[in-house]
Amino acid sequence: MKRFTKMILTALLGVSLAACSTSSASSAPAASDDNSAPASSENASSDKVYNVGIVQLVQHVALDASAQGFQDELTAQLGEGNVVFDYQNAAGDSATCNTIVSGFVTENVDLMLAIATPALQAAANGTASIPVLGTAITEYGTALSIDDFNGTVGTNVSGTSDLAPLDQQAAMFDELLPDAAKIGIIYCSAEANSKYQAEVVQKKLEENGKTVSVYTFTDSNDVQAVTQRAVSENDALYIPTDNTAASNTGLIDAVASEANVPIICGEEGIMSGCGIATLSIDYYELGKTTGAMAAKILKGEANVSEMPIEYYQNPVKEYDAQRCEALGITVPSEYKAVERP
């Protein structure tokens, strides 16, 4: 009897231990189960916090607006709290863009936004795996040295362009300054996209019967001297979307205003600082378009290598009423007056 009782107790103890073992296994899955059975895509999407690095060449109203539009749109699409931005400005130094990008690569951010051409070049050279989107880039083929560019980079790079129709910008000289026969084009020789715009506009102006001279500055130190020479030799000037010029509009304006030489510009920010008119885009809206592209990439809805460059579709003719009035320029009705910031 004692032996029989002992056998029963031993069996019951074995059942109890097995139950305890089963309970522990169900409440704490093995590590291999965690790796092989990820959460549902819906939960992963809602719980994921994306890290996005933003490298901007220089502080300027147009570039700042594109950055804000990007952040607003990406936050709206991914949800408040689901995206963290590391927004860094290179203060106009291309070498600093490289340093910023290196930091983003070390952090292994989920995506980079590069604002302005030197920032894009730094990002494209800095990583071949992290998705890179550019904005405020005029021509990607020129920026990335791609021959016969077809509209899609085909690597980890895509983005948006701030290129307004250059032939229409050239035509503004006949619309606003029909008596201006000699046109000077000024830009920074270190900015490839400025050179591209200058060449296209020069060709269009010459086709329209203008005599065109090109003047370049290497950095902010010789902007004044180059501008003084240009205004002394021409009836009017053209400035493309150029970051160095954008950072020195006050200086350019002082020289041109004293000489009563009007300037037509490639974008609104430069025009507000020193010009009479522009055919410009909305940089905030351009940033939003870039943010929508980023959302598709991060949500797995698009492959950056297959995304074509997107363009702003509705450029607007704008003018500075104060400068036009001071110079006695009659502005056609389709131009929109823009208040200075």
Side-chain angles (χ1 to χ4, degrees), residues 139-164:
E139 212 281 322
Y140 282 74
T142 299
L144 300 176
S145 299
I146 302 173
D147 294 331
D148 300 321
F149 181 59
N150 64 5
T152 301
V153 176
T155 64
N156 63 318
V157 177
S158 187
T160 56
S161 170
D162 62 357
L163 181 64

Side-chain angles (χ1 to χ4, degrees), residues 12-13 17 22 34 48 50 59 67 83 102 117 142 147 167 182 184 190 194 198 224 240 260 264 285 307 314 318 327:
L12 289 173
L13 180 59
L17 290 172
T22 303
D34 282 343
K48 170 72 174 178
Y50 298 95
Q59 185 174 10
V83 56
S102 294
T117 298
T142 299
D147 294 331
D167 57 339
K182 298 170 64 179
S194 298
Q224 183 173 10
N260 291 321
I264 290 177
E285 290 297 327
M307 301 178 80
N314 301 297
E318 300 174 340
L327 293 168

Side-chain angles (χ1 to χ4, degrees), residues 6-310:
K6 184 176 181 181
M7 291 173 62
I8 293 176
L9 290 173
T10 300
L12 289 173
L13 180 59
V15 171
S16 175
L17 290 172
C20 289
S21 177
T22 303
S23 174
S24 298
S26 63
S27 62
S32 60
D33 290 341
D34 282 343
N35 294 332
S36 61
S40 69
S41 59
E42 181 179 354
N43 290 335
S45 175
S46 62
D47 294 340
K48 170 72 174 178
V49 175
Y50 298 95
N51 293 303
V52 175
I54 301 177
V55 52
Q56 180 172 317
L57 174 64
V58 66
Q59 185 174 10
H60 177 257
V61 60
L63 305 186
D64 296 347
S66 65
Q68 190 62 57
F70 174 83
Q71 293 176 87
D72 289 350
E73 182 64 22
L74 189 53
T75 299
Q77 294 216 20
L78 297 183
E80 193 74 37
N82 289 337
V83 56
V84 175
F85 298 101
D86 186 352
Y87 183 6
Q88 298 190 40
N89 193 299
D93 184 12
S94 297
T96 302
C97 288
N98 294 325
T99 302
I100 293 170
V101 167
S102 294
F104 291 158
V105 172
T106 299
E107 295 168 17
N108 194 29
V109 296
D110 296 297
L111 182 142
M112 287 188 212
L113 174 69
I115 306 177
T117 298
L120 177 72
Q121 292 168 333
N125 291 331
T127 178
S129 58
I130 297 172
V132 173
L133 292 178
T135 192
I137 312 297
T138 303
E139 212 281 322
Y140 282 74
T142 299
L144 300 176
S145 299
I146 302 173
D147 294 331
D148 300 321
F149 181 59
N150 64 5
T152 301
V153 176
T155 64
N156 63 318
V157 177
S158 187
T160 56
S161 170
D162 62 357
L163 181 64
L166 295 174
D167 57 339
Q168 294 181 38
Q169 289 189 5
M172 295 173 76
F173 283 90
D174 283 335
E175 294 175 358
L176 299 171
L177 307 166
D179 297 329
K182 298 170 64 179
I183 311 297
I185 299 178
I186 64 173
Y187 66 92
C188 179
S189 58
E191 298 189 34
N193 277 314
S194 298
K195 183 176 186 291
Y196 169 81
Q197 294 170 80
E199 289 175 346
V200 174
V201 171
Q202 178 181 5
K203 180 179 179 180
K204 294 296 181 182
L205 288 172
E206 289 174 343
E207 288 175 355
N208 295 339
K210 309 293 185 183
T211 299
V212 181
S213 300
V214 176
Y215 308 81
T216 61
F217 37 82
T218 56
D219 54 34
S220 297
N221 293 322
D222 57 347
V223 169
Q224 183 173 10
V226 170
T227 305
Q228 286 175 332
R229 181 185 170 199
V231 299
S232 70
E233 298 175 352
N234 295 279
D235 303 315
L237 302 183
Y238 172 75
I239 303 176
T241 54
D242 183 277
N243 295 297
T244 305
S247 299
N248 291 275
T249 55
L251 189 155
I252 295 171
D253 184 47
V255 174
S257 294
E258 184 177 357
N260 291 321
V261 173
I263 303 173
I264 290 177
C265 306
E267 59 92 12
E268 182 183 307
I270 299 177
M271 184 207 72
S272 296
C274 64
I276 62 163
T278 185
L279 178 69
S280 190
I281 69 168
D282 187 324
Y283 277 84
Y284 179 80
E285 290 297 327
L286 190 71
K288 288 184 65 177
T289 298
T290 319
M293 295 175 72
K296 290 179 181 178
I297 294 168
L298 294 174
K299 290 190 289 187
E301 298 173 357
N303 185 328
V304 63
S305 67
E306 299 172 353
M307 301 178 80
I309 304 304
E310 297 194 25

Side-chain angles (χ1 to χ4, degrees), residues 306-320:
E306 299 172 353
M307 301 178 80
I309 304 304
E310 297 194 25
Y311 295 81
Y312 188 75
Q313 298 300 314
N314 301 297
V316 177
K317 291 180 178 180
E318 300 174 340
Y319 74 101
D320 182 285

